[in-house]
Amino acid sequence: MMQSMPGVPFNLDAVPTVLKDSATEEKGETARLSSFVGALAITDLVKTTLGPKGMDKILQSSSGSVTITNDGATILKSIYIDNPAAKILVDISKTQDDEVGDGTTSVCCLAGELLREAEKLVDQRIHPQIIIAGFRKAATCAEDALLAATVDNGGNADKMRDDLYNIACTTLSSKVLSQARDQFSSISVDAVLRLKGSTNLDHIQIIKKPGGSLKDSYLEEGFILAKSLGVGQPKVMENAKILVSNTPMDTDKVKIYGAKVRVDSLARVAEIEEAEREKMMNKCEKILDHKCNVFVNRQLIYNRPEQFFADNGVMAIEHADFDGIERIALVTGGEVVSTFDSPETAVLGRCEKIQEIIIGEDRLIQFSGCAKGEACTIVLRGANEQLLDEAERSLHDALCVLSQTAKETKTVLGGGCSEALMANAVDELAKSVAGKESLAVESFARALRALPGIIADNAGYDSSELVAQLRAAHAAGKSTCGLNMNDGTIGDMRELGVTESWKLKRQMLNSATEAAEMILRVDDILRATPRPREDRPH
Amino acid sequence: MSIAFDEAGRPFIIVREQDKKERLKGIEAVKANIAAAKAVSRTLRSSLGPKGMDKMLQNQDGEVTVTNDGATILQQMDLQHQIAKLMVELSKAQDDEIGDGTTGVVVLCGALLERAERLIDQGIHPSRVSEGYETACDLSTELLARISDEITLNDTKLTEMKKVAMTTLNSKIVNRFKDKLADICVSAVTSVADFERKDVNLDLIKVEGKVGGKLEDTNLVNGILAIDKDFSHPQMPRRVEDAKICILTCPFEPPKPKTKHKLEIDSVEKYKDMQKAEMEYFQDMVKKVKDSGANLVICQWGFDDEANHLLYKAGLPAVRWVGGVEIELIALATGGRIIPRFSEISPEKLGRAGVVKEVHFGTTRDRMIVLEDCAKSKAVTIFVRGGNQMILEEAKRSIHDALCIVRNLVVDNRIVYGGGAAEIACSNYVAEKMNEIPGVEQHAVGAFSEALDSVVMALAENSGLNPIESLGEIKARQANEKNAHLGIDCMGLGESDMKKQSVFESLQSKQKQLQHATQMCRMILKIDDVIQPSRYE
């Protein structure tokens, strides 16, 4: 139904129902109000998780499973929202997650704070387009200030490692892993450095095993495959020569279309069966010709070939999955092989020792002393499933940020330092902007400064006092000052080693401004009739 | 339904025909239709112009779109009224034919109908109104052609083309980045344009997007992107220089004859023969590809592990499951031929590209294959980045609009001036000519001129100016100074001459806008009976 029709003529017939029943339209002020309310609700929801002293949320799904997290993206993904503006915020948080992996809460908070400031300006009867123009100027200025404050240690491997370590510490300090922060920082830095610049995090495998404590987690020197060895296989293999393959080891499918076996007697069946078996055995022989002593296959290995391999002293590992095969190939330097007719050209993978190990109650296969170490395994231990899940998410965030930083090596300071720095630069800009836009520029600075405020609030300190001190310190030229959340004071972030990736901060600033702009530009919300759900019996 | 009016002029209902409004007749029907069309155009009115606002649309499944593209808004509105649906068609027609001005056409149509309603109230028959509109529309398009300027399309000097693209992009959320986007669009179109035949095949320009980064990271790839594809074997090289590409639409499998057949195996020998034949098929296929001198295989179908490994062994990187459209584009760009059977592979059918590589994005497993410096280079891709899904989609739509406009310029290089300048010129001209027209149509022609004014007023209103005042001023100045380049200064630059502000629009787009709107208006005015099937209860 059309909600409002100003200037309706007298003839009531002339009031047409243009939209479908139960499709709605909100216009002008109402639309804007609904956007602001939605966006702010989302911001207020996630903002308590920001910073090193941020709190966690319990998420209960409709099936009853429980997740405990303080990862913004995870929280936003799981809540049900029926407000279009709020959905935009959820989407930027998701993009942040996909693009840099961390800062998902910050981006949402910044966008929310920008809208909160914009709402005040709209109340003062400033047109959204003017606010947008001001925000754009401010965002460009903030980005320039941020870039000017970056430090690039890309050329120096040792310093780079320190940077990465600090970034890992900063990222992890707001997560459940903060109790073992140093240990996990080292783990993640080592893991990422082993990727040698690749950003494909598939090559870092995280194995979660309940039991023990977080402190028992470690980075496996070699590689662990979460599979167990077959019965009767040798349990240890020294100086392994590994043939990594992807081939059916049950029966070979006949690939010629329409082929059909037709026999007239039982004896014939046996003959054909024998031929089939012979073919499989031939394949096994060919595999043996490769002079390997370990055979890893993506697919199943049937008992008979397995038996054959065991008899010939070859360790056979079946069902290693696509990821597993790819990782093993990377770690050991072998080729993934599917045909076996030319043993001389196939490259075998090598490692010093393969053995079956037991973590918790599960048996796993460990590859140690590998030729190439471009993939690795992190074993996570912890008291319960929820803790492990959250630990995995945190570690994933850290790994994402690190791998991105390894590619784009510029870093900036964390702890609200960058925000304060940008805010001061934007404040400077506001002085030189003529017209109403300058109000919007000032608001942008306030929104940036709100972020350290939230961090301080969450830690239970006097945020107004701290943010004011921070602002003064930056104005006095101490551009490395930030919040020290352990003591509740302001301190030099460079000394404390609170470092963040420049790419993360830049992405956060851009996405948040873009999203705020997008929501501000809207003056009309049209909702379609929700698709009727079919209540089918399950 | 009968209505009476009390002494204050308020309506009250005497008899209500309950639920029996399935049929509307005569003037009633015309008026109801006009009201519906007006309601739609009113929604779009605030999106007009560079300072126009966006609409947020939530579709049936709760997905959100933010846009100010008229055609998109209307398509996603959940409409039920027939006339409202016609308005959707109207903006779609403009979108299909021109690609831009979809908001303007609907707003103009609404304004025309509003004026028509008044004339009908005065007792003028709807068909006479239509005829008057038609006359006025002819006058206007004629005038537009006269006041238009030709721009140069030399390969070296594309600045004017770029300005037209910028005018289009100005009203979109991407306007902070319009400079580079306009550059991208112009170079995309000119690189695929056929200037001799004055034709541009927009299929050769692919607009691909991936969430992440920011709008400023958008760039033009001189080649093709195949999103979400990677090399089939994890250890194949990620980069092929000087690629000779074999483009296959047949699977790496033994043939599957279409006729029904059966291959019966009844002895061990035959079984073994078959195994051998199967093996040979694969080796033969790979050999044929290799022998042709290819060093990259792009296949529309998949291939199994065995073929995959053989290809890898033969040093033939391969990409599988490439879609039909992409295959065609790749063939066009690289100058290769699509090869449907292995027996037809020959060296001259291979496509060529400078570099083919696999690129990774962000933290998830997003990969894509990029083919750069293709031999024919007739295809280009605009790769759009953006902070979130909605902005990405909107950017893609904006780029589409800009591409269409640039294409129109290649087809017809005449331009008129934006910012309402063209509308005001038409309005003045039509108003002048009005007195020469005898009969009732005179009023309709006058109404046409007023409707054009009302579009300009909407533009001024959205830009935060006083609509009546600024319209009056510009109209007077155009008449006095005989300068058809004067328009509304939407951006607040203190300059009303649109030629100096470089606000250009293509002549075609403007003409089509007027024609489409007039036609739609005539169609709506011609309807005098609306019969709806009564709904099932």
Side-chain angles (χ1 to χ4, degrees), chain A residues 87 91 98 202 334 521 529, chain B residues 54 62 78 235 363 365 389:
Chain A
K87 280 197 179 129
D91 199 68
D98 290 348
D202 287 344
R521 276 176 68 104
T529 323
Chain B
D54 289 0
D78 203 3
Q235 279 156 328
T363 61
R365 311 169 119 194
Q389 193 62 46

Side-chain angles (χ1 to χ4, degrees), chain A residues 22 63 77 92 96 118 120 146 205 251 267 305 329 351 357 366:
Chain A
S22 79
S63 62
K77 252 183 266 174
I92 55 169
Q96 180 85 5
K120 286 181 206 155
L146 189 67
Q205 185 189 19
T251 45
C351 78
I357 55 165
Q366 182 191 43

Side-chain angles (χ1 to χ4, degrees), chain B residues 31-48:
Chain B
K31 283 197 171 176
N33 290 342
I34 290 178
K38 266 162 55 187
V40 173
S41 94
R42 199 176 298 128
T43 300
L44 286 194
R45 201 178 153 94
S46 64
S47 285
L48 195 70

Side-chain angles (χ1 to χ4, degrees), chain B residues 287-345:
Chain B
K287 191 167 170 289
K288 275 193 179 127
V289 176
K290 189 73 193 166
D291 285 350
S292 71
N295 57 5
L296 179 72
V297 178
I298 290 186
C299 185
Q300 193 176 13
W301 303 98
F303 26 85
D304 69 357
D305 302 330
E306 225 168 307
N308 199 0
H309 180 65
L310 284 171
L311 283 169
Y312 167 59
K313 266 295 189 40
L316 279 172
V319 186
R320 55 184 157 181
W321 297 308
V322 180
V325 183
E326 277 162 341
I327 283 267
E328 267 173 40
L329 264 179
I330 291 173
L332 269 175
T334 58
R337 296 266 298 277
I338 297 176
I339 304 171
R341 269 183 292 276
F342 281 97
S343 49
E344 288 172 14
I345 297 177

Side-chain angles (χ1 to χ4, degrees), chain A residues 2 4-9 25 27 523-524, chain B residues 34-47 55 87 106-107 110 114:
Chain A
M2 220 57 178
S4 61
M5 285 269 300
V8 172
E25 178 176 22
K27 276 174 176 285
D523 76 333
D524 204 329
Chain B
I34 290 178
K38 266 162 55 187
V40 173
S41 94
R42 199 176 298 128
T43 300
L44 286 194
R45 201 178 153 94
S46 64
S47 285
K55 311 279 172 239
M87 298 296 266
V106 174
V107 172
E114 205 174 321

Side-chain angles (χ1 to χ4, degrees), chain B residues 113-406:
Chain B
L113 285 169
E114 205 174 321
R115 297 297 184 287
E117 193 180 10
R118 269 187 226 163
L119 295 178
I120 292 168
D121 280 343
Q122 287 169 16
I124 300 178
H125 193 272
S127 356
R128 308 304 291 274
V129 179
S130 303
E131 277 157 34
Y133 278 181
E134 186 67 25
T135 319
C137 178
D138 288 346
L139 284 171
S140 306
T141 42
E142 208 182 283
L143 175 81
L144 282 176
R146 230 180 306 138
I147 60 169
S148 65
D149 286 343
E150 281 192 14
I151 57 164
T152 46
L153 291 181
N154 298 352
D155 280 7
T156 43
K157 201 177 157 218
L158 294 164
T159 42
E160 280 168 324
M161 242 171 161
K162 199 180 135 190
K163 279 173 188 158
V164 182
M166 268 162 72
T167 309
T168 301
L169 293 171
N170 216 353
S171 61
K172 316 282 177 184
I173 194 167
V174 294
N175 59 5
R176 70 181 146 103
F177 179 48
K178 61 181 175 192
D179 222 25
K180 199 181 154 205
L181 272 187
D183 258 344
I184 289 176
C185 293
V186 171
S187 39
V189 172
T190 46
S191 63
V192 301
D194 185 341
F195 283 102
E196 275 167 26
R197 286 200 303 120
K198 292 198 167 188
D199 188 28
V200 183
N201 183 359
L202 282 186
D203 288 344
L204 292 175
I205 304 175
K206 232 178 137 195
V207 183
E208 289 283 0
K210 198 97 209 171
V211 180
K214 54 175 185 169
L215 276 176
E216 278 78 353
D217 299 332
T218 301
N219 57 4
L220 181 70
V221 180
N222 194 7
I224 301 168
L225 302 179
I227 298 274
D228 293 333
K229 298 280 176 302
D230 52 359
F231 285 112
S232 57
H233 193 285
Q235 279 156 328
M236 282 175 180
R238 261 48 185 143
R239 189 185 166 90
V240 180
E241 305 252 356
D242 195 14
K244 296 188 217 25
I245 308 160
C246 183
I247 306 160
L248 292 172
T249 51
C250 46
F252 269 89
E253 274 171 18
K256 280 185 184 171
K258 298 242 164 38
T259 45
K260 266 201 169 166
H261 71 292
K262 244 184 205 170
L263 177 72
E264 297 202 339
I265 298 160
D266 54 3
S267 71
V268 173
E269 288 74 45
K270 283 192 181 163
Y271 181 79
K272 282 186 178 156
D273 281 351
M274 190 197 64
Q275 299 285 5
K276 218 176 130 207
E278 190 183 289
M279 203 63 210
E280 271 165 11
Y281 263 127
F282 281 108
Q283 277 163 352
D284 194 40
M285 283 187 284
V286 173
K287 191 167 170 289
K288 275 193 179 127
V289 176
K290 189 73 193 166
D291 285 350
S292 71
N295 57 5
L296 179 72
V297 178
I298 290 186
C299 185
Q300 193 176 13
W301 303 98
F303 26 85
D304 69 357
D305 302 330
E306 225 168 307
N308 199 0
H309 180 65
L310 284 171
L311 283 169
Y312 167 59
K313 266 295 189 40
L316 279 172
V319 186
R320 55 184 157 181
W321 297 308
V322 180
V325 183
E326 277 162 341
I327 283 267
E328 267 173 40
L329 264 179
I330 291 173
L332 269 175
T334 58
R337 296 266 298 277
I338 297 176
I339 304 171
R341 269 183 292 276
F342 281 97
S343 49
E344 288 172 14
I345 297 177
S346 65
E348 58 275 12
K349 284 184 181 167
L350 299 181
R352 275 158 203 278
V355 182
V356 178
K357 60 185 177 192
E358 189 183 297
V359 183
H360 292 236
F361 288 99
T363 61
T364 43
R365 311 169 119 194
D366 294 332
R367 288 166 216 181
M368 61 181 197
I369 302 272
V370 185
L371 290 92
E372 275 176 358
D373 301 328
C374 303
K376 287 276 155 65
S377 191
K378 260 286 190 184
V380 292
T381 307
I382 299 175
F383 186 56
V384 191
R385 310 298 313 268
N388 58 54
Q389 193 62 46
M390 295 101 190
I391 208 160
L392 190 71
E393 292 302 322
E394 176 68 355
K396 277 194 198 167
R397 280 191 290 269
S398 313
I399 289 173
H400 169 256
D401 283 6
L403 286 175
C404 290
I405 277 302
V406 178

